[in-house]
Amino acid sequence: MRIRKESQFISCFDENTGSYFRSGIIENGKDTGEDPFMASFPELLDVGVMGHCIHGRTGLCMKSGVECYQDGLHSAKANMSLEDFNDLAEQCRDRTWQFALGGCGDPDQHEHFEELLRICRENHIVPNFTTSGFGMNSEKAEICGKYCGAVAVSWYRSDYTLRAVDMLLKAGVKTNIHYVLSRDSIREALDRLRNKGFPAGINAVIFLLHKPVGLGSREKMISADNNEFHEFIRYIGTDGLCCKIGFDSCMVPALISHLDDIDPDSLDTCEGARWSAYITPDMKMMPCSFDNQEERWAVDLRNHTVQEAWDSAQFEDFRNYFRKSCPACGERNICMGGCPIRPEIVLCERPAKKILS
């Protein structure tokens, strides 16, 4: 168990189990129960090691019904170099709990895949990543078992999805499913939960909200008044689910409308620029990977350190959205206005909704 003492709170992370705990703000030696707003350095970094997708030209994700927010059809950037990755890891040594490897493509297809994972562990950082599973093989699965905290396989509705899950499980890897919830996929998600339609042995299914970023279309966005979506949320509050489930923080504005079914203590809103950040393959740091197209809040790590980017005016501007949105809402401490990058995905119908543009 690793412990990090901040000026007002304490956070703990178990690199063996992935368990995480954060205290409330501590005053006069006592936990006030009030959640701290941010860390002094990112606890998690989403590191975009992939600059292009070897499956992008074939439209692998599009054929599966998932629209790549990194625009894998057109991105042709170089992958992150081993030297840049090593520099990041050294800056974050004993300061950042986890690296979530990502970018435009499957991290297991990076030319230095095993070295990336090894560098993480050498710097006391737990590596995780998400893959389509298309290029997964038993050798890479064994490498994941040696180094990774967990691996997520995107739900691409294909034989290679199931093969990848099977290989990872056999290698002893904690394996999750990442399932993109769009207007077109809600019914399938509900049916699979009801009928045990996900592979046995997985750790959890994590539902990710479809976003209109990159190849993501607005037509597939879920609306706040979508009846199937509300049926789905009500069902996850029932007993007897076939597996553990989780959600990305983009879902929180919708989930707080169902607090009779969901424990509010299980919800945590957007962590961008507060607890986490994203780094592009060409070393630009921004609060969230969904800013990868416009780079509105980006800081160039060729000219700045990770700490300087974290303390920058760009990141502070991003945080101000959370500080100022929806001031009259009784649940604002849970939600803080939702997404600063794509306000249209903030699934909230409360009269007190007042987000910044």
Side-chain angles (χ1 to χ4, degrees):
M1 178 71 72
R2 295 169 59 195
I3 300 174
R4 178 170 166 178
K5 296 182 179 180
E6 295 269 5
S7 60
Q8 293 185 306
F9 67 93
I10 297 172
S11 61
C12 307
F13 177 71
D14 188 327
E15 59 267 40
N16 295 316
T17 65
S19 297
Y20 172 81
F21 169 79
R22 182 193 308 151
S23 74
I25 292 176
I26 298 172
E27 292 182 355
N28 300 320
K30 295 183 178 181
D31 190 327
T32 64
E34 181 182 349
D35 289 338
F37 180 72
M38 62 176 287
S40 61
F41 193 84
E43 294 186 341
L44 181 146
L45 278 174
D46 184 356
V47 184
V49 297
M50 301 301 292
H52 59 277
C53 179
I54 64 173
H55 312 305
R57 296 292 183 260
T58 65
L60 189 71
C61 60
M62 302 294 283
K63 291 176 182 177
S64 72
V66 178
E67 297 176 341
C68 174
Y69 77 93
Q70 291 272 0
D71 194 2
L73 284 175
H74 305 107
S75 180
K77 295 180 180 179
N79 293 337
M80 182 177 287
S81 71
L82 205 58
E83 292 75 19
D84 282 341
F85 188 84
N86 189 68
D87 178 59
L88 279 178
E90 288 181 349
Q91 288 189 58
C92 297
R93 181 183 177 92
D94 291 324
R95 305 186 73 189
T96 297
W97 302 134
Q98 302 179 74
F99 275 10
L101 307 186
C104 184
D106 293 335
D108 51 60
Q109 300 304 302
H110 193 283
E111 56 271 27
H112 301 295
F113 174 58
E114 183 171 7
E115 290 93 329
L116 299 178
L117 303 183
R118 176 180 52 77
I119 287 170
C120 286
R121 288 295 186 173
E122 287 176 348
N123 286 281
H124 309 157
I125 298 165
V126 176
N128 309 295
F129 70 94
T130 304
T131 177
S132 72
F134 188 84
M136 181 61 65
N137 56 41
S138 56
E139 180 183 357
K140 289 180 179 178
E142 291 295 331
I143 291 170
C144 295
K146 182 178 180 180
Y147 293 105
C148 291
V151 174
V153 180
S154 297
W155 189 248
Y156 275 16
R157 303 167 176 84
S158 301
D159 290 342
Y160 58 80
T161 303
L162 300 178
R163 285 198 302 269
V165 170
D166 185 60
M167 284 186 282
L168 289 165
L169 289 175
K170 286 180 178 176
V173 180
K174 182 182 287 187
T175 306
N176 297 319
I177 294 290
H178 275 185
Y179 187 109
V180 177
L181 271 181
S182 69
R183 190 180 64 180
D184 296 345
S185 68
I186 301 171
R187 177 52 55 184
E188 179 204 359
L190 185 55
D191 289 344
R192 287 189 177 276
L193 286 178
R194 284 174 169 163
N195 300 305
K196 298 183 179 180
F198 291 106
I202 60 170
N203 177 60
V205 178
I206 311 299
F207 292 101
L208 315 175
L209 189 64
H210 170 85
K211 292 94 175 170
V213 180
L215 298 177
S217 65
R218 291 183 177 273
E219 290 73 23
K220 287 194 175 185
M221 286 173 52
I222 294 173
S223 59
D225 60 355
N226 187 296
N227 290 329
E228 288 187 323
F229 182 60
H230 288 288
E231 182 185 355
F232 171 81
I233 294 178
R234 285 193 296 271
Y235 181 75
I236 64 170
T238 62
D239 296 329
L241 291 176
C242 66
C243 56
K244 291 191 295 183
I245 62 170
F247 298 93
D248 65 358
S249 58
C250 307
M251 296 273 287
V252 168
L255 296 175
I256 63 173
S257 297
H258 294 267
L259 293 182
D260 289 339
D261 303 310
I262 299 170
D263 181 359
D265 289 337
S266 68
L267 303 179
D268 201 0
T269 194
C270 178
E271 296 189 344
R274 302 193 307 123
W275 308 98
S276 66
Y278 174 67
I279 298 174
T280 65
D282 56 354
M283 298 294 284
K284 292 185 176 65
M285 181 165 149
M286 56 196 70
C288 174
S289 60
F290 297 118
D291 188 33
N292 73 80
Q293 308 290 309
E294 298 176 7
E295 299 187 354
R296 176 178 168 186
W297 292 277
V299 178
D300 192 344
L301 294 183
R302 306 280 187 208
N303 304 315
H304 300 276
T305 65
V306 172
Q307 184 70 70
E308 288 170 343
W310 189 251
D311 296 335
S312 67
Q314 293 95 313
F315 273 59
E316 193 63 11
D317 179 62
F318 195 88
R319 295 175 189 123
N320 281 335
Y321 175 97
F322 302 121
R323 293 187 176 106
K324 298 178 180 179
S325 290
C326 306
C329 180
E331 306 294 348
R332 78 161 314 277
N333 287 338
I334 303 177
C335 172
M336 297 186 187
C339 181
I341 300 172
R342 289 290 184 268
E344 60 267 40
I345 70 168
V346 179
L347 303 181
C348 176
E349 297 180 288
R350 290 169 177 260
K353 179 180 178 181
K354 186 178 181 182
I355 58 179
L356 303 181
S357 59

